[in-house]
Amino acid sequence: MKKLFQVALIAMFVSCGKANNAPPAEEDSTLMALLDELDKCQASGNHEKCYELYSQISAEYEKKNFTALQKRYQQKMLSEAEAISDDNKRRGQTLMADAFQQLATAYMVEGKLDSALIEAHQAYRLAPKDTLDFRGQTLLLLAQIHLMAEEGDSVTHYIEEAKRIYPDVAHTDLYRITHAYGLDLQNRKEELTALLPSYISVSGIHAQAELTRLLMYCHEESKQWQKAYDDALHLMDISDSIASRETSENMARIHALQHERQMEFQRAERQAERARLYVVIIVVLLLLLAASMAGLFYRRKARIAHDKEMEAMRLSEVAQTNENLAREENIKLQRLYYEHLFAIILPILNAHRGKSGHINLEESSWELIEKNTDMVLPGFTARLRGHHPTLTTEDVRFCCLLMMRVPNVLLADIYGIAPSSVSVRKQRMKKKLDIQNQTIENYLNQYI
């Protein structure tokens, strides 16, 4: 009896799940289409869509009884649900609970009851508190697992708990079968025999077959041969109805597939004809377009090249003219600059040269040098002091002499030092002005 209700429970669970009436060829084409769509979905990174496709592929492998592949894709469902929970925790937990429930079912069908219990408890733990229907179904799944393990007390506990939190679960065929076999496991024959007729009268046709079979065995064990005989006749009628229904459904499906195949062939022929016509039209249009584009391209290219050549010639002429004007202006300014400075400074310096050759300048002479420098280079000393407030008056006057291009020998006579010491003085001045990578004369030109 143990093996009977285990096999019956598994068969009933599968039959009450997803029906499989499609021919194998259609299953394979459906599976291939799902796998192709999955490749595109993985590239887009849409976790919700990937989860849905993994679920559909798992269902397809369940139909084929490929348990290993079914569980592989259920594990992938878990990975996608975890990714979804990063953005939407509630949604991710709901999907993870659903994946764990499917894994538990797969383990139960395989007979791996310990693994099935672990996965089912995970599903119940993760399910949101307000999803009473899902939690009730999960509790019913736990009852089925304990039923297969022949743990009657646990079966009773879980089906009662499922009915308590979600009363509608008691109206499902799986609940009725689990409850009936649970009573049988606990050897509550009288209660079971009284309950079965009411369950048989409201259940689906597949559940009716299983429950009638169980009722027949109960009557046999109690030696109620007439009732067992009536049950067998009833079971035969139900089996005939199931077979007739399945035959009708399969025949209708075959005819529908034949019609669909014929229509698909006709559609393919029409599409091929239209495609050939479209190809010819497109090729002609592309050739015309290519010819037009080529003509426009070369005309535009020639015009652009001509415009560039003319613009280059114009710019070359303008640049040459500007260069000549700048050169002439620079020469003129340099000439005036040096003429004015040396015309002003040399008489002053020579007038103060002593017998020893040194030049002793008075304060009035230094002031005159500053004044003349500002006259030739307007605002020079003011800008220099504004940018370098730490410079002394002597430093500013030294810069004035440098701007006049006074030779080092003459600078040595003015300051009463050796000509070689003039370079040292210039280096100290560069440090004060914080000059790097250029001469002091070039730096001072920016204050002109």
Side-chain angles (χ1 to χ4, degrees):
M1 201 65 178
K2 170 188 173 183
K3 293 297 182 183
L4 171 64
F5 64 70
Q6 287 182 354
V7 174
L9 180 61
I10 294 172
M12 188 60 208
F13 188 86
V14 174
S15 66
C16 292
K18 301 176 179 67
N20 177 25
N21 294 324
E26 187 193 13
E27 286 183 357
D28 292 340
S29 63
T30 302
L31 187 58
M32 291 303 296
L34 289 172
L35 291 171
D36 291 339
E37 189 175 355
L38 178 62
D39 291 337
K40 298 176 184 177
C41 182
Q42 287 174 334
S44 67
N46 187 339
H47 297 296
E48 284 274 2
K49 184 63 175 176
C50 286
Y51 181 92
E52 181 182 345
L53 290 172
Y54 282 137
S55 179
Q56 293 177 14
I57 294 170
S58 172
E60 290 297 323
Y61 282 127
E62 180 184 355
K63 294 176 184 179
K64 295 173 178 292
N65 292 325
F66 292 165
T67 308
L69 291 172
Q70 175 190 352
K71 289 192 296 184
R72 179 190 301 175
Y73 281 94
Q74 287 169 346
Q75 292 288 353
K76 292 178 182 289
M77 289 167 61
L78 279 175
S79 300
E80 294 298 330
E82 290 174 356
I84 293 170
S85 66
D86 294 338
D87 299 325
N88 188 335
K89 185 175 181 181
R90 175 184 170 82
R91 176 63 175 164
Q93 284 188 339
T94 301
L95 295 179
M96 288 174 66
D98 179 62
F100 276 122
Q101 189 189 76
Q102 293 189 37
L103 271 172
T105 303
Y107 281 123
M108 182 186 71
V109 173
E110 280 188 311
K112 298 179 179 179
L113 303 183
D114 291 338
S115 299
L117 282 173
I118 293 172
E119 305 297 342
H121 281 295
Q122 282 280 67
Y124 188 79
R125 182 181 61 83
L126 288 172
K129 301 297 183 182
D130 57 347
T131 55
L132 301 180
D133 55 344
F134 182 86
R135 291 165 67 85
Q137 294 168 10
T138 306
L139 289 171
L140 184 56
L141 176 61
L142 286 165
Q144 294 163 8
I145 297 170
H146 284 291
L147 179 61
M148 293 183 67
E150 299 188 33
E151 299 172 354
D153 293 338
S154 297
V155 175
T156 302
H157 167 73
Y158 282 113
I159 62 174
E160 288 179 354
E161 182 66 14
K163 185 177 179 180
R164 183 187 66 81
I165 68 170
Y166 185 60
D168 287 346
V169 80
H171 302 303
T172 63
D173 290 343
L174 289 176
Y175 176 88
R176 294 170 187 142
I177 292 178
T178 306
H179 188 199
Y181 277 113
L183 293 175
D184 182 72
L185 182 63
Q186 294 176 321
N187 203 25
R188 295 157 65 178
K189 301 296 183 182
E190 293 182 2
E191 185 178 350
L192 174 61
T193 305
L195 179 67
L196 279 174
S198 63
Y199 275 179
I200 293 172
S201 63
V202 296
S203 298
I205 190 167
H206 292 281
Q208 286 182 25
E210 293 301 328
L211 293 170
T212 302
R213 185 179 292 108
L214 180 58
L215 182 59
M216 180 182 66
Y217 286 125
C218 290
H219 287 152
E220 286 180 357
E221 290 180 357
S222 62
K223 301 186 184 304
Q224 300 179 40
W225 306 115
Q226 183 59 44
K227 291 184 178 181
Y229 176 75
D230 294 338
D231 294 335
L233 292 177
H234 187 209
L235 180 59
M236 183 180 297
D237 293 337
I238 296 174
S239 299
D240 290 341
S241 298
I242 292 174
S244 176
R245 179 180 297 182
E246 290 180 349
T247 301
S248 299
E249 290 176 353
N250 288 332
M251 289 300 297
R253 185 64 173 170
I254 289 171
H255 291 310
L257 289 173
Q258 288 176 343
H259 175 72
E260 184 63 29
R261 185 176 62 179
Q262 183 178 1
M263 294 299 295
E264 183 67 24
F265 179 76
Q266 294 176 0
R267 285 196 295 267
E269 285 291 326
R270 289 195 296 271
Q271 289 176 357
E273 291 177 2
R274 286 196 296 268
R276 287 192 290 269
L277 179 61
Y278 290 155
V279 167
V280 173
I281 294 173
I282 291 171
V283 168
V284 172
L285 291 176
L286 287 176
L287 290 175
L288 292 174
L289 180 62
S292 301
M293 293 297 293
L296 291 173
F297 173 76
Y298 284 112
R299 287 180 59 186
R300 185 171 180 274
K301 186 176 180 181
R303 185 172 64 253
I304 291 174
H306 180 264
D307 292 344
K308 286 183 177 179
E309 184 178 355
M310 296 300 296
E311 182 66 15
M313 291 176 61
R314 187 185 67 80
L315 291 175
S316 178
E317 292 175 357
V318 171
Q320 186 65 36
T321 302
N322 291 337
E323 184 180 356
N324 293 335
L325 292 174
R327 187 181 298 110
E328 292 175 0
E329 186 69 21
N330 187 43
I331 293 172
K332 181 179 178 181
L333 289 174
Q334 286 182 352
R335 187 183 299 114
L336 291 173
Y337 174 80
Y338 286 111
E339 285 177 357
H340 286 178
L341 284 183
F342 279 103
I344 293 171
I345 191 65
L346 286 177
I348 298 173
L349 297 178
N350 289 325
H352 294 80
R353 187 181 295 275
K355 294 181 179 180
S356 62
H358 295 298
I359 299 172
N360 299 315
L361 295 177
E362 298 176 354
E363 181 63 24
S364 59
S365 298
W366 283 113
E367 291 175 356
L368 182 60
I369 289 174
E370 283 191 58
K371 179 179 179 181
N372 289 336
T373 301
D374 284 332
M375 182 178 64
V376 176
L377 308 173
F380 172 79
T381 58
R383 284 193 293 273
L384 184 61
R385 286 188 173 97
H387 283 81
H388 299 283
T390 59
L391 293 179
T392 64
T393 301
E394 183 180 356
D395 293 333
V396 173
R397 291 170 178 175
F398 182 69
C399 291
C400 290
L401 295 177
L402 293 178
M403 287 302 294
M404 295 177 188
R405 300 297 189 270
V406 176
N408 287 352
V409 175
L410 196 56
L411 289 173
D413 291 339
I414 293 172
Y415 289 98
I417 58 178
S420 59
S421 300
V422 174
S423 298
V424 176
R425 188 180 183 92
K426 285 184 178 181
Q427 291 297 323
R428 288 199 296 269
M429 182 58 64
K430 285 180 68 175
K431 290 183 179 179
K432 284 188 175 184
L433 297 174
D434 194 21
I435 300 172
Q436 298 178 356
N437 301 325
Q438 60 178 323
T439 64
I440 190 171
E441 290 83 359
N442 289 338
Y443 176 79
L444 293 174
N445 282 336
Q446 66 181 318
Y447 296 102
I448 296 176

